[in-house]
Amino acid sequence: MAPQLATESVKMFSELEAKPSVEAAQKLAEMVREVDGAALAEAGLFQAIETATGGGKKAEAKREAACLAFGSLSADLKNHLEAYVIKLFPVVFQLVGDKAKTVAKAAHDAAMQFVGRAASNPAVACSTMAEMMHCLDSTKFQVKVAGLESIGRFARDCPGAVSVSMPELVPAVCDLLHDTKVQVSEEAEQTLKAITDVVKNKDVEELIPVLVEALMEPDNVPDSIFKLSCTKFVATVERPELAIITPLLVRGFREGEKKIVRQSAKITDNLSKLVEVATEAEPLIPKLTPALEQAAIHVADPECREVCGKVQLQIEKLKKNVDLLKSQSMDSKKFLEVLQKDKRVTVSDPVLLAFVADLCASNFEMKVMQPKVWAKNLLSVCKTEKDADTLGEMLFKQCENAMTGTVIEEEEDAAELCNCRFTLAYGTKILLKNTQLRLLKGAKYGLLGGNDSGKTSLLKAIANDQVEGFPPSTEVRTVFVEADILGELSHLTCLEYIFEDSRIKAANISKDAVISALDKVGFAGTGEQGGKAARIMDPVSSLSGGWRMKLALARAMLQKADILLMDDPTNHLDVKNVAWVEDYIRGLKDVTCMIVSQNAHLLETCCSRIIHIDNLRLHNFKGSIKAFVEEFPEAKSYFELKSSKGLSFRFPDPGFLEGVSSRGKVLIKMDKVDFTYPGNPKPTVVNLTVRVSMGSRVACLGPNGAGKSTMIKLLTGELNPDKGTTWKNPNAKVAYVAQHAFHHIEKHLKMTPTEYILWRYEYGTDKEALEKVTMILTEEEEKKLLEVRTWEFTDDEGLKRQKHVIEKLTGVRKNQKRAGYMYEVRFATKGSGEGPTGFINEDKLEEGGWGKHVKQTAEKILAEEGRFKRPLTQSNVEKLLVDVGMEREHATHTQMSQLSGGQKVKVVLGAAMWDQPHIVILDEPTNYLDRESLAALAGAIEQFKGGVVIITHNDQFSKALCPETWLVEKGDDGIGRLDCQGDADWMEAVMKEKTESVAMEEMVDALGNVTKVKQAKKKLTRKEKKQRELAKKKAKELGEHWSSSEEE
């Protein structure tokens, strides 16, 4: 029956040619509705319709008949015919410009019928977009108008189909805005507005009118670029918005004006980082790259050229991601191969199969994420609806990773521990967006990314069961290894500390098992002396950073983890212990590790895979860190001590220091100091003797547990020596950033960094400094202060010796008769009112038990002078934090509990620098900071005019900055001793170098009021006095005025 109907349809079309009518065309469509397309093609119906579209003036009826037939077939089209009818629309569209009005009208009506039918299935509309755009190149303006009208209809009814072609569509439509035919330019304007409505990006939506205006009128490009540069982009960027913005950016790059070029580069950089699926940007990269390259070469401003160069690297990175995804992309040819081989496909018609393959390719391009939609387009080639559903599901799964921008890893024998897709935010900041994480059993992953990219936050989120789709800890044992010890647990012994962990308690782990684990990582037993090793009964507060990390590893070992999450496991560790950690990780055959580290050697020797955080996504790489850096050279910056992003830190200059004119003059010192921690049977360090000046650049080196941090705590007054003496110039300010830096802020995590510094210095003095052991009075010391004793003091009447009780210290001045300082005191009185005052020598006050008050008074006076110079205001504190690398958003609006390790280090560093110290002591400053920040820190230390002492295991960092070395090592008796080494020529030069500090000339209060400070009169030499008298005499002889300022 079908062949007969097919033959009859050709005859019916011949009759239609002889007498064209809508009714006859509809009868033809009804006849062939159920006939197989291949049969109709074999009978010659479609060829006859196509042939009828040609001919000259005498063939008008045939052309009209062809248009009527095409329109009727399109109006109510079955899937099996669609594959053949769709091939006719290009030739019918061209007839819209036919000179015969009847033909032109029939062609236009047919074209709109076809467009209406195609718009009901976005895959069909998408597959016809290329041919539709050819209409815009027609020499006939009517065809252009019809093409624009059709594209506008698609944009309104099936925006997904238009979005795929936007990169080609936008410039094509823009070209027609200035067409000589008014009908074309007006329709082009309407179409441009319709296709720009396809954009659903909330960041761009409000700017659409501005962008359209700029596309229509090039003179508006600078203004549109400026408005784009003021927009904060956070939403995922897709092809439609890129298609609209890219032409403007290309014009911006070609403007040549530095400001516009720089803004265009910054916009390009921001948008490229928000492209979630790299292939969305594929058609636009070739347009942007040449313009960007030219700007990077020809712009006069070097900083602007540098910005363009960095954006070039970002675009190249995006292109690499495009290439990776294209390797797993699907096109019509690949889909056709799948359909031809699948048993569920029962049709062999090559035209129909090719058409369905095109529809599948359209679904892929539009990123259709509903398997049912895929199945709908497969019904015409499958025997049953169930077959179409299962085939659609299979094709969708096959394409899902490529559509979401996920690079498929090679299948391996190892078991899969997790394969999840999630978004991660911290506070108000999005760290990772719709990204995939896949971990295999026993694999070792290095986790890379810049500071603040979310590395530590990801590890903590996994450990706390906060990552959507990640297996819960009840199924996969996940342990986060970090060396930080909470303040409330610091009094516990190592053994008690492990038992305090809730997971250890829940696992009912025995004491013997814990002792065995501690023994494996090197701890000495309960009955052993320890020697160079820490003992399991030592308090955790006495452990060095290296031993704290070993304690954390022992705790992790006891939990028999499936996944170890390690945040900088070599922090605080010396070379020997780093090697131990590397061996330990390599020995974990069945344990998966995710490791954050700046130690390239550890990552190279331990990790066979890299997970890279970039542009809010996790990017997987199979291979060593060396291979990864070769593939992505920009990652080299993670391991180099230099800044590729222009990041810089700046330390404030030290304040004026009375009586100190040389940078080599000693400000703090220790002589023959011994110290033993409470409960330890032997001293930790003995015979320590050191000197520190404003010219010092000291690297304090030695193995873990040798006593480096103990020595520094003694030097800064954090600890009291058992034997020997420590001294600090009472006017000198010393900033100390401890090894476990977070202890400074752990009680204030609900504050923002700015709030913390405002609190810490609100009364002028540093509250942290007043909490030192050496600043807190014991009960015995308080009683001693109330004793009546004979004091030798000086007042306005001269030197006196009287019995008094000192009420408080109120001031300080330099002793004019001998070295040292005198402090103003107020004596207690029995009656009402204030007691008498006088000045007492520093050493006499210390003998009388007022030593700690002497230090506190000096600190308060120095702090007051600092407050006059720089008021404690939010803006000043914020600027200080920006100077040490913090973003203003984090400095003022983010609680410290939400900050990364690197950000917290910057907070502690900034807080320590508020007082404008003369000496900065940094205990393991390289921990938690990435290489960009380390390079910036090194630059700040090089430029700093005060003294610096650094404890570090980072050889590259210490050698670049410190010509002087303090080497602390334990002997066989387990006691730490010091060996001072250094560059003698350098030290001699520093001793001679003059300080550049100047006395305070003006004071500024919190309201910004400025008051001039009168300087102390300078004592003149005999020669200067004689010269002054001669100048005064000469002035009088000449009748000139001699001012009082000249007299002074």
Side-chain angles (χ1 to χ4, degrees):
M1 185 69 179
Q4 184 179 347
L5 286 175
T7 304
E8 289 180 10
S9 68
V10 177
K11 291 179 181 179
M12 185 174 286
F13 178 69
S14 297
E15 294 172 2
L16 181 63
E17 286 181 299
K19 190 177 181 180
S21 70
V22 174
E23 293 77 10
Q26 289 174 343
K27 287 182 179 179
L28 173 64
E30 289 173 7
M31 176 188 290
V32 302
R33 186 177 297 166
E34 303 300 331
V35 180
D36 185 62
L40 293 172
E42 188 176 347
L45 176 62
F46 302 117
Q47 182 61 48
I49 294 173
E50 184 174 355
T51 302
T53 60
K57 187 175 182 180
K58 294 181 180 180
E60 288 178 9
K62 290 185 177 182
R63 293 199 298 277
E64 183 183 359
C67 295
L68 293 172
F70 175 76
S72 296
L73 289 171
S74 300
D76 187 19
L77 200 59
K78 297 294 184 181
N79 284 348
H80 61 279
L81 291 179
E82 203 164 25
Y84 292 89
V85 175
I86 201 170
K87 291 177 175 292
L88 297 173
F89 97 87
V91 291
V92 172
F93 256 60
Q94 290 302 317
L95 295 179
V96 173
D98 200 279
K99 291 180 180 179
K101 291 184 178 180
T102 54
V103 176
K105 183 180 183 306
H108 184 271
D109 292 344
M112 293 306 106
Q113 283 180 312
F114 172 79
V115 169
R117 171 67 180 87
S120 66
N121 185 345
V124 175
C126 184
S127 66
T128 62
M129 279 303 300
E131 290 294 341
M132 200 71 75
M133 282 190 288
H134 285 162
C135 296
L136 305 185
D137 296 327
S138 176
T139 56
K140 300 174 181 178
F141 80 90
Q142 298 94 334
V143 177
K144 291 180 181 178
V145 172
L148 289 167
E149 190 179 347
S150 303
I151 291 168
R153 172 76 180 272
F154 282 167
R156 289 185 289 273
D157 293 352
C158 48
V162 173
S163 67
V164 173
S165 302
M166 284 283 276
E168 299 79 24
L169 196 53
V170 170
V173 174
C174 286
D175 287 344
L176 297 180
L177 290 171
H178 307 287
D179 197 274
T180 54
K181 288 290 185 180
V182 177
Q183 298 95 318
V184 176
S185 60
E186 289 180 351
E187 191 64 43
E189 188 173 335
Q190 295 299 317
T191 303
L192 182 60
K193 289 178 180 176
I195 63 177
T196 52
D197 285 343
V198 170
V199 174
K200 298 304 177 188
N201 185 303
K202 294 187 181 298
D203 302 330
V204 180
E205 273 182 334
E206 293 182 3
L207 292 174
I208 289 296
V210 175
L211 301 179
V212 170
E213 190 70 27
L215 289 170
M216 295 170 63
E217 183 51 64
D219 289 343
N220 294 330
V221 168
D223 182 57
S224 67
I225 293 292
F226 172 74
K227 289 181 178 176
L228 279 170
S229 69
C230 296
T231 303
K232 186 176 182 180
F233 293 101
V234 292
T236 299
V237 174
E238 296 179 338
R239 192 171 295 190
E241 46 267 34
L242 286 173
I244 296 170
I245 295 173
T246 297
L248 301 178
L249 293 176
V250 171
R251 290 179 189 174
F253 284 123
R254 290 173 180 166
E255 280 283 325
E257 187 181 334
K258 180 194 78 172
K259 183 179 178 181
I260 297 174
V261 170
R262 194 181 188 283
Q263 288 174 343
S264 299
K266 283 293 187 181
I267 296 165
T268 303
D269 189 43
N270 292 337
L271 291 178
S272 64
K273 290 176 180 177
L274 290 170
V275 175
E276 194 168 284
V277 182
T279 48
E280 288 288 276
E282 181 189 1
L284 300 159
I285 291 175
K287 298 179 182 180
L288 270 175
T289 303
L292 193 53
E293 286 175 351
Q294 290 298 309
I297 296 170
H298 296 297
V299 175
D301 183 67
E303 191 271 342
C304 185
R305 290 200 303 272
E306 184 182 351
V307 170
C308 291
K310 290 177 181 177
V311 179
Q312 275 185 280
L313 294 176
Q314 175 63 27
I315 295 297
E316 287 172 11
K317 188 189 300 182
L318 186 64
K319 189 175 184 304
K320 285 182 180 178
N321 290 336
V322 169
D323 294 338
L324 285 172
L325 285 175
K326 283 182 72 175
S327 65
Q328 61 192 57
S329 293
M330 295 288 286
D331 56 19
S332 297
K333 185 178 179 181
K334 291 180 180 178
F335 280 114
L336 182 58
E337 290 174 359
V338 173
L339 295 175
Q340 288 172 336
K341 294 176 182 177
D342 197 284
K343 293 181 179 179
R344 286 165 289 201
V345 175
T346 56
V347 172
S348 58
D349 180 1
V351 175
L352 181 55
L353 287 174
F355 172 69
V356 173
D358 285 342
L359 297 186
C360 291
S362 295
N363 284 333
F364 177 81
E365 288 288 341
M366 292 187 294
K367 296 175 178 51
V368 176
M369 305 303 290
Q370 298 83 28
K372 283 288 185 184
V373 176
W374 289 69
K376 180 182 176 183
N377 291 319
L378 295 167
L379 284 169
S380 59
V381 294
C382 292
K383 187 174 183 180
T384 65
E385 187 174 338
K386 183 179 179 181
D387 286 344
D389 287 342
T390 56
L391 180 56
E393 181 76 31
M394 184 203 80
L395 291 174
F396 167 73
K397 288 291 185 185
Q398 191 173 334
C399 299
E400 184 179 12
N401 285 319
M403 289 193 295
T404 55
T406 304
V407 178
I408 303 171
E409 292 187 55
E410 294 178 17
E411 292 296 326
E412 296 194 25
D413 295 334
E416 190 176 79
L417 292 182
C418 94
N419 191 349
C420 59
R421 182 171 292 279
F422 63 95
T423 293
L424 179 66
Y426 212 85
T428 58
K429 183 179 180 180
I430 295 176
L431 299 174
L432 295 166
K433 186 174 182 182
N434 192 29
T435 193
Q436 186 180 39
L437 175 64
R438 181 172 182 254
L439 299 178
L440 301 178
K441 185 174 182 179
K444 307 296 184 288
Y445 298 87
L447 182 58
L448 297 184
N451 251 17
D452 309 338
S453 61
K455 303 184 295 296
T456 300
S457 298
L458 174 60
L459 298 187
K460 287 184 176 180
I462 292 172
N464 296 331
D465 289 339
Q466 293 172 333
V467 172
E468 184 182 354
F470 196 94
S473 54
T474 53
E475 296 177 14
V476 176
R477 288 187 298 276
T478 305
V479 179
F480 182 39
V481 181
E482 59 178 342
D484 286 325
I485 291 171
L486 297 176
E488 60 266 25
L489 303 178
S490 60
H491 66 286
L492 301 175
T493 67
C494 299
L495 192 62
E496 292 168 341
Y497 176 76
I498 288 185
F499 275 113
E500 196 65 25
D501 190 291
S502 58
R503 292 164 295 185
I504 299 293
K505 290 178 182 177
N508 293 318
I509 296 172
S510 67
K511 182 178 179 180
D512 289 341
V514 175
I515 293 173
S516 175
L518 289 169
D519 178 65
K520 286 179 182 178
V521 297
F523 280 82
T526 52
E528 301 177 49
Q529 289 299 311
K532 296 183 181 181
R535 299 174 306 155
I536 63 174
M537 297 308 293
D538 286 347
V540 292
S541 59
S542 71
L543 297 181
S544 68
W547 284 105
R548 290 188 182 203
M549 180 54 73
K550 287 190 171 187
L551 182 65
L553 285 170
R555 184 175 61 179
M557 289 165 57
L558 288 163
Q559 296 176 57
K560 297 179 180 177
D562 296 310
I563 300 175
L564 269 185
L565 308 170
M566 311 180 83
D567 190 9
D568 274 320
T570 57
N571 265 359
H572 312 291
L573 297 184
D574 56 26
V575 175
K576 183 179 178 181
N577 281 307
V578 168
W580 180 88
V581 171
E582 290 173 356
D583 290 339
Y584 171 74
I585 293 173
R586 286 195 295 268
L588 300 171
K589 301 300 181 185
D590 295 323
V591 178
T592 300
C593 295
M594 278 184 75
I595 306 168
V596 174
S597 179
Q598 295 162 37
N599 188 323
H601 186 268
L602 174 119
L603 295 177
E604 178 66 26
T605 56
C606 297
C607 301
S608 59
R609 295 167 176 272
I610 303 299
I611 298 175
H612 185 213
I613 299 179
D614 186 42
N615 295 344
L616 309 181
R617 301 292 294 273
L618 296 176
H619 302 275
N620 291 283
F621 179 86
K622 185 179 179 183
S624 66
I625 187 66
K626 184 178 179 181
F628 178 76
V629 171
E630 287 175 357
E631 183 75 21
F632 302 97
E634 62 273 15
K636 196 175 182 180
S637 64
Y638 296 142
F639 309 103
E640 289 182 332
L641 194 60
K642 66 179 184 180
S643 175
S644 61
K645 300 177 183 176
L647 180 66
S648 63
F649 290 4
R650 181 185 177 276
F651 290 169
D653 291 338
F656 172 71
L657 194 53
E658 184 183 354
V660 177
S661 58
S662 165
R663 292 186 68 208
K665 188 165 184 176
V666 173
L667 298 184
I668 51 177
K669 64 181 180 178
M670 287 195 299
D671 286 303
K672 299 180 180 179
V673 164
D674 295 358
F675 178 77
T676 306
Y677 278 103
N680 283 5
K682 63 175 69 174
T684 302
V685 289
V686 296
N687 200 30
L688 301 177
T689 299
V690 295
R691 303 284 186 271
V692 183
S693 70
M694 287 174 68
S696 295
R697 289 291 186 277
V698 182
C700 186
L701 308 177
N704 290 126
K708 302 184 298 298
S709 296
T710 300
M711 180 180 74
I712 294 301
K713 288 179 180 178
L714 288 163
L715 184 65
T716 58
E718 294 273 328
L719 297 173
N720 269 324
D722 300 329
K723 182 181 175 183
T725 60
T726 62
W727 174 87
K728 179 179 83 71
N729 183 311
N731 289 333
K733 299 177 184 176
V734 179
Y736 173 48
V737 178
Q739 181 185 65
H740 311 292
F742 301 162
H743 92 267
H744 293 283
I745 60 175
E746 63 185 10
K747 296 176 183 177
H748 314 286
L749 294 178
K750 290 186 177 180
M751 292 182 178
T752 67
T754 301
E755 289 170 345
Y756 166 67
I757 294 177
L758 289 172
W759 165 85
R760 181 167 162 176
Y761 291 96
E762 66 180 327
Y763 300 124
T765 51
D766 181 359
K767 291 180 182 178
E768 294 277 357
L770 296 178
E771 292 179 1
K772 295 178 184 176
V773 173
T774 52
M775 299 291 263
I776 299 173
L777 293 173
T778 63
E779 188 176 336
E780 186 178 324
E781 287 172 330
E782 288 179 348
K783 288 180 181 178
K784 188 176 180 179
L785 297 182
L786 299 176
E787 295 175 1
V788 178
R789 60 187 298 133
T790 302
W791 292 102
E792 185 178 280
F793 62 93
T794 304
D795 61 13
D796 293 339
E797 299 175 3
L799 185 65
K800 294 181 180 179
R801 287 178 60 85
Q802 294 179 359
K803 287 189 176 183
H804 282 291
V805 174
I806 295 176
E807 181 182 327
K808 61 181 179 179
L809 275 58
T810 58
V812 63
R813 74 182 185 192
K814 192 172 178 63
N815 195 325
Q816 302 297 323
K817 296 182 179 179
R818 63 189 178 104
Y821 294 82
M822 300 183 75
Y823 284 80
E824 185 181 31
V825 303
R826 182 173 298 282
F827 296 112
T829 179
K830 293 182 180 179
S832 60
E834 294 183 339
T837 61
F839 283 90
I840 301 178
N841 285 327
E842 178 183 355
D843 55 347
K844 297 297 182 184
L845 285 168
E846 289 179 350
E847 288 175 12
W850 285 84
K852 292 180 179 179
H853 285 80
V854 164
K855 293 179 181 178
Q856 289 180 12
T857 301
E859 294 283 348
K860 287 178 181 178
I861 292 170
L862 290 170
E864 284 302 317
E865 182 178 321
R867 289 182 72 189
F868 281 127
K869 283 187 177 180
R870 181 173 54 172
L872 186 66
T873 62
Q874 178 173 314
S875 60
N876 282 340
V877 171
E878 188 178 273
K879 182 181 183 302
L880 173 80
L881 291 168
V882 170
D883 282 345
V884 293
M886 286 206 79
E887 296 178 13
R888 293 183 187 275
E889 176 70 21
H890 294 146
T892 306
H893 304 290
T894 305
Q895 287 188 358
M896 291 190 290
S897 60
Q898 298 179 358
L899 299 179
S900 68
Q903 290 168 333
K904 287 177 181 175
V905 169
K906 292 173 185 176
V907 174
V908 175
L909 187 60
M913 298 306 296
W914 173 257
D915 249 350
Q916 296 174 267
H918 303 96
I919 305 292
V920 177
I921 299 176
L922 304 170
D923 194 347
E924 294 284 8
T926 59
N927 294 335
Y928 300 104
L929 293 179
D930 64 8
R931 290 303 172 112
E932 292 278 342
S933 298
L934 277 184
L937 177 60
I941 291 172
E942 284 179 349
Q943 298 298 319
F944 183 53
K945 295 176 182 177
V948 181
V949 179
I950 304 169
I951 298 179
T952 181
H953 295 299
N954 189 317
D955 186 58
Q956 184 185 10
F957 189 76
S958 62
K959 281 184 176 179
L961 298 171
C962 303
E964 187 180 354
T965 301
W966 296 346
L967 181 61
V968 184
E969 289 186 297
K970 278 189 176 182
D972 293 334
D973 58 0
I975 299 173
R977 292 174 175 83
L978 174 66
D979 178 18
C980 293
Q981 305 166 359
D983 183 337
D985 294 336
W986 174 84
M987 293 179 190
E988 185 178 350
V990 166
M991 291 295 289
K992 296 176 182 177
E993 189 176 334
K994 300 295 182 183
T995 61
E996 297 180 8
S997 300
V998 294
M1000 183 170 64
E1001 296 178 349
E1002 59 185 30
M1003 299 185 299
V1004 185
D1005 64 19
L1007 297 175
N1009 301 311
V1010 179
T1011 306
K1012 296 292 181 182
V1013 177
K1014 188 175 181 180
Q1015 302 298 320
K1017 292 183 180 180
K1018 177 186 175 184
K1019 285 190 176 182
L1020 301 180
T1021 63
R1022 289 179 63 186
K1023 185 177 179 180
E1024 288 171 333
K1025 287 179 181 178
K1026 191 172 181 179
Q1027 289 174 339
R1028 185 189 65 178
E1029 290 301 323
L1030 288 171
K1032 183 176 180 181
K1033 185 177 179 181
K1034 190 173 181 180
K1036 286 183 178 180
E1037 289 174 355
L1038 296 172
E1040 295 176 352
H1041 175 68
W1042 181 263
S1043 70
S1044 59
S1045 62
E1046 290 173 307
E1047 181 72 46
E1048 291 175 358

